Each structure stands twice: as C-alpha cells, then as structure tokens.
Amino acid sequence: MKLLISPASPFVRKARLLIREAGLTDRVQEVEVSTTPLATDTSVMAANPIGKIPALLRGDGPAIYDSRVITRYLDALAGGKFYPEARIWEVLTLEATADGIMDAAVNLTYEGRFRTPEMQSAAWMDAQWGKASRGVSAINERWMSHLSGPLDISHMAVACALSYLDLRHDARGWRAGNDALAAWHASFSERASMVATKPG
C-alpha cells in the first residue's frame, strides 16, 4: 500500500502515527507529494477526486481517503486496537473534536498563505481561531480523563492537532488556560511515533 502524504499536514500525521503505533510500517509506503488547494498534485487527484491528502492506494481495491477512513481501515488490518468498541462513541467524538481543530487551523493557514492581503478577512480568521480555541478548551475541561487512559486514535488526533497549532499558529498561544492539556501534550510528544513524524 502507498500513502500519499505531505509531512506538515496534521491529517496526514495522524495516519502516520497510527501506522507506527500499529506496527504497519512494513506494509505502507509513504509517498511525499507537493500539493496545494490551488495546485493539486495529479496523483492525489487520481486517488481522491476532492484532491485532499492523505490518500491510501491499495493493491486490492480502489484508493480510500479522508484521514478517519484511512486510520479506521489500517486499524482494522492491525486488529482493531485503536478504535475500541467498549468506548467507541467517546473515541470518535474526541477524534472529531481534534479533527475540527485541525480543519479550522488549516483554514486559517490557507487564508494567510493562498489569499492576497487585500482579500484576507480578519473577521473570518478570528472565527477560525475561535473554533480551534474552543475545541482546545473543551478537551482540557472535559477529556483529560480519557486522554489518561489506554492509547487510542483520539489521543493521536489530539496530539496532531495541538502540534499543528504549534507549527503554524504558535503566536496565538493555545496553552494559556489549558495547563493540563499542555502537560499531556508535552509528554505525548516524546513518543517515538511523534518524534519520527515531526515535520522538518
């Protein structure tokens, strides 16, 4: 199998984390592509008509895409450890919260990177940060007990979301008022999978 990636993408990183945590590195080849919202790589477009990464090319079926689909598929191949049925709705909800933070943060990045200054909307950018900030606060206030439990995909998603905020929006200071989550993230960032997938 081949995973189409761009290392800075938090959605890609989530899939890369699961590959390492699930012991699938010998089964999935990571192929780096250069793609943007305005210039989609042809291999990405062939795999995913929406033109987004990650996309997983399989030898025994059509390509699959969307990070949540890919991680669920790969986890199933590895035995289903990281989507535990006993707490599946909590896991999926926390993963969705983290993905929402990523989505807002990526939109904020794109506004600054791909729209000319005169076209950028400060109000829209503030609204995107508001979504990300509320998500971070909700995790800090409601989900720390879950993050203290056995490793699952939601831990990986949260770590990728917070690390992306550090990468692209560090000046906005997500840690303020979120001490428990900041401490958790510092510890989680030391995992071998996090170190191996840190954008250069």
Side-chain angles (χ1 to χ4, degrees):
M1 291 179 287
K2 294 182 179 181
L3 184 72
L4 303 184
I5 72 165
S6 178
S9 164
F11 296 101
V12 164
R13 192 177 187 187
K14 182 176 64 165
R16 297 180 74 206
L17 280 185
L18 185 135
I19 288 168
R20 285 155 179 78
E21 295 288 354
L24 295 172
T25 53
D26 60 337
R27 297 182 65 180
V28 183
Q29 176 188 357
E30 295 176 355
V31 180
E32 189 169 342
V33 296
S34 179
T35 190
T36 75
L38 301 181
T40 303
D41 181 271
T42 55
S43 64
V44 174
M45 202 176 304
N48 177 1
I50 309 303
K52 292 185 176 183
I53 51 174
L56 183 69
L57 309 181
R58 303 179 296 164
D60 60 351
I64 61 174
Y65 44 88
D66 187 276
S67 65
R68 277 181 275 191
V69 176
I70 292 170
T71 53
R72 193 81 184 255
Y73 173 78
L74 292 175
D75 183 55
L77 289 183
K81 178 179 179 181
F82 298 115
Y83 283 91
E85 283 299 323
R87 57 183 193 281
I88 191 63
W89 302 117
E90 290 77 12
V91 170
L92 293 176
T93 299
L94 182 52
E95 183 187 15
T97 303
D99 281 6
I101 294 169
M102 293 183 209
D103 190 53
V106 168
N107 284 339
L108 186 55
T109 298
Y110 285 171
E111 180 77 359
R113 181 169 292 180
F114 296 109
R115 287 171 66 87
T116 58
E118 65 272 14
M119 294 292 292
Q120 292 174 18
S121 166
W124 193 87
M125 295 172 79
D126 287 344
Q128 295 305 308
W129 178 251
K131 294 176 183 181
S133 181
R134 289 192 301 273
V136 170
S137 295
I139 295 172
N140 185 73
E141 293 167 6
R142 306 173 195 169
W143 291 97
M144 294 312 301
S145 60
H146 184 96
L147 291 176
S148 298
L151 179 67
D152 62 44
I153 190 62
S154 68
H155 296 69
M156 299 178 221
V158 169
C160 290
L162 299 178
S163 294
Y164 186 77
L165 295 183
D166 284 340
L167 179 67
R168 298 295 190 216
H169 307 293
D170 187 50
R172 290 184 179 262
W174 69 263
R175 289 174 176 80
N178 297 299
D179 294 349
L181 186 56
W184 175 87
H185 180 254
S187 176
F188 196 91
S189 294
E190 296 176 357
R191 295 183 71 89
S193 60
M194 288 289 287
V195 174
T197 60
K198 185 174 181 179

